[in-house]
């Protein structure tokens, strides 16, 4: 299901209800999508789709603090 666009803080709250959440980040060096798929739990998956130009560092930091994998 593709949900309606929401503010970033609301998306973080909604993602906390999912079994898995990932936020694509071009500067991520530890985890790739393949690794995320390997460690993902069975169940729901949330994928953050950001603005053109990508997420900024503060958004990535907030996402990681919320348990979302970059």
């Amino acid at each position: 299901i593709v949900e309606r666009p929401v503010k970033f803080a609301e998306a973080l709250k909604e993602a906390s209800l999912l079994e898995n959440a990932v936020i694509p980040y071009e500067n991520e060096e530890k985890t790739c999508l393949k690794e995320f798929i390997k460690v993902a739990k069975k169940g729901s998956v949330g994928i953050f789709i950001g603005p053109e130009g990508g997420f900024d560092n503060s958004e990535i930091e907030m996402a990681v603090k919320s348990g979302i994998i970059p």
Side-chain angles (χ1 to χ4, degrees), residues 2-35:
V2 177
E3 298 289 343
R4 63 182 167 64
V6 296
K7 300 251 185 228
F8 192 73
E10 185 178 340
L12 293 176
K13 287 179 189 176
E14 290 182 19
S16 72
L17 304 173
L18 304 172
E19 281 83 16
N20 305 282
V22 64
I23 186 167
Y25 183 49
E26 64 276 5
N27 294 325
E28 175 57 33
E29 296 177 354
K30 294 183 257 179
T31 307
C32 65
L33 185 57
K34 235 186 222 183
E35 292 299 316

